[in-house]
Amino acid sequence: MEMIDDMKKEFNTISQELVNIYQKIEDKSQVNMIKAKVNHIKFGKGIVVNFSNSFLEVEFKEVGIKKFKYPEVFINHFLTCDSIKINEQTIEVAKLCIERDNLESRILRIKSEINKIENEEIDKKSRKKYSSNISNCMVAVLTGESYTDDIELKLYYDNAKNGFSNYGYIGLYREKSIVAIGKIENIVKACYKDKRLYYESMLGFSVNENQKERIEKAIYNAEERHGWNNLKYEEHYYFLVENFINTDFVKSSEGALWGRKKFDLCEILNVDELPSIEEIASKLNNITWE
């Protein structure tokens, strides 16, 4: 479709701009802050003792060492530095971060619109023998920095703005292949309200303690490992699986996966009833898709 092609071109252009912005932020952040004297709005005067991976460690006389995200701690005016040079450089980084956030918001809107249009097209075309039972279908989703968390916590999360479909399986896509597949046990919408984490199962199930713990850990990891705090304050869907099983369901055509893609597993495997998740993963190893 011409509309989708135009949106994908825009997506690629913005993505390249975003890569350049990230590089500029990284370059501008290469400042020696070790031993720099700083002032915190709450903890008072301190000295920077470590600066790596966009995190500052500051030692304060009264409270010891505290860890902060750079440059956010300066952007939010929690921390200031006695060095004029560092303050000026931080302002430059802050401007780049605002530009980065704007580009990421544009990318999210484009992805959401592409997903919407493609899902509508899929629904129009998916009137086949097997597709009447969506529990036999797998949705492939993009996974990147969160891949380790996805596998460890046996879940996948996505902004609720992108919607969800009640398929039976989810596949994690990266580097031209669906590398793991899991059988969905629950789909939960969650976010913090009034400092309390609220849960709602989209399948009408209860949300058990184990599932709550995994969601809480995912939100914690997103902020601590990746610097993403939007999981706290924006509603996300959490696709919880019994387990992720490794597979290698390779995309044979050129280009990467855009948005999500639905697969009818019964049709792909040419069966009337699906075998165990382990057998599905094994069979997909010997199949490619376009």
Side-chain angles (χ1 to χ4, degrees):
M1 294 176 65
E2 186 176 346
M3 184 184 297
I4 289 183
D5 289 340
D6 290 341
M7 284 192 288
K8 287 182 177 180
K9 288 178 183 177
E10 183 182 1
F11 181 94
N12 288 333
T13 299
I14 297 173
S15 295
Q16 186 55 56
E17 291 179 20
L18 192 58
V19 169
N20 295 335
I21 289 293
Y22 269 106
Q23 185 60 55
K24 288 180 182 178
I25 291 174
E26 184 177 346
D27 293 341
K28 289 291 184 182
S29 298
Q30 300 303 315
V31 56
N32 184 13
M33 296 191 67
I34 305 299
K35 296 185 179 179
K37 296 179 180 179
V38 295
N39 292 280
H40 190 273
I41 191 172
K42 178 179 179 181
F43 305 127
K45 294 182 179 181
I47 296 177
V48 178
V49 294
N50 191 24
F51 179 37
S52 62
N53 298 324
S54 298
F55 282 95
L56 284 173
E57 290 187 9
V58 181
E59 185 171 11
F60 299 96
K61 185 175 180 180
E62 299 295 332
V63 296
I65 295 176
K66 295 288 183 180
K67 190 175 183 180
F68 305 101
K69 188 82 166 64
Y70 176 89
E72 284 79 1
V73 68
F74 287 98
I75 295 173
N76 296 324
H77 307 295
F78 291 119
L79 203 66
T80 57
C81 184
D82 292 351
S83 167
I84 295 176
K85 179 181 178 181
I86 291 176
N87 278 330
E88 289 176 346
Q89 190 151 348
T90 301
I91 291 173
E92 292 182 37
V93 173
K95 291 179 179 177
L96 290 170
C97 286
I98 293 172
E99 189 173 351
R100 174 202 64 194
D101 293 344
N102 289 336
L103 290 174
E104 289 182 338
S105 294
R106 288 173 62 190
I107 283 178
L108 182 61
R109 287 196 296 271
I110 294 171
K111 283 177 64 177
S112 178
E113 190 61 29
I114 290 174
N115 284 340
K116 181 180 177 182
I117 295 172
E118 289 188 333
N119 284 337
E120 287 175 353
E121 288 301 309
I122 288 172
D123 289 340
K124 289 178 184 178
K125 296 175 181 178
S126 299
R127 300 291 183 266
K128 300 178 182 179
K129 171 186 174 184
Y130 300 105
S131 299
S132 59
N133 187 353
I134 62 173
S135 65
N136 291 332
C137 293
M138 171 182 73
V139 58
V141 294
L142 297 164
T143 181
E145 290 183 52
S146 65
Y147 173 71
T148 301
D149 297 329
D150 297 339
I151 298 297
E152 174 188 337
L153 300 175
K154 297 182 289 188
L155 57 75
Y156 173 83
Y157 52 79
D158 193 16
N159 197 300
K161 295 176 183 177
N162 294 329
F164 80 96
S165 296
N166 182 17
Y167 299 129
Y169 299 82
I170 190 166
L172 302 181
Y173 172 92
R174 63 193 314 225
E175 298 176 0
K176 296 281 289 181
S177 177
I178 295 172
V179 297
I181 179 174
K183 187 172 184 179
I184 294 174
E185 63 181 14
N186 205 349
I187 302 174
V188 178
K189 182 166 67 175
C191 76
Y192 276 93
K193 295 178 182 178
D194 299 324
K195 297 183 179 181
R196 179 182 173 188
L197 189 57
Y198 285 83
Y199 308 88
E200 178 186 0
S201 171
M202 298 294 97
L203 306 182
F205 302 151
S206 61
V207 184
N208 62 43
E209 291 304 314
N210 177 266
Q211 292 170 352
K212 291 179 181 179
E213 289 175 5
R214 286 150 63 192
I215 292 172
E216 289 178 8
K217 183 66 174 177
I219 295 172
Y220 175 83
N221 285 354
E223 185 167 20
E224 290 297 311
R225 293 181 178 178
H226 312 297
W228 308 331
N229 62 3
N230 61 321
L231 272 73
K232 275 188 175 181
Y233 309 113
E234 295 180 19
E235 290 184 334
H236 278 67
Y237 289 123
Y238 295 83
F239 301 82
L240 298 119
V241 302
E242 297 171 1
N243 200 7
F244 274 119
I245 307 299
N246 293 335
T247 188
D248 190 18
F249 188 25
V250 176
K251 185 177 188 293
S252 59
S253 56
E254 293 184 1
L257 172 68
W258 285 91
R260 305 170 186 170
K261 184 175 177 64
K262 171 188 170 185
F263 295 88
D264 189 319
L265 293 174
C266 281
E267 183 177 12
I268 290 171
L269 302 179
N270 194 26
V271 296
D272 293 322
E273 186 175 341
L274 289 177
S276 68
I277 186 70
E278 290 80 9
E279 290 181 74
I280 293 173
S282 177
K283 291 179 181 293
L284 292 178
N285 276 326
N286 302 314
I287 305 173
T288 62
W289 56 281
E290 297 184 355

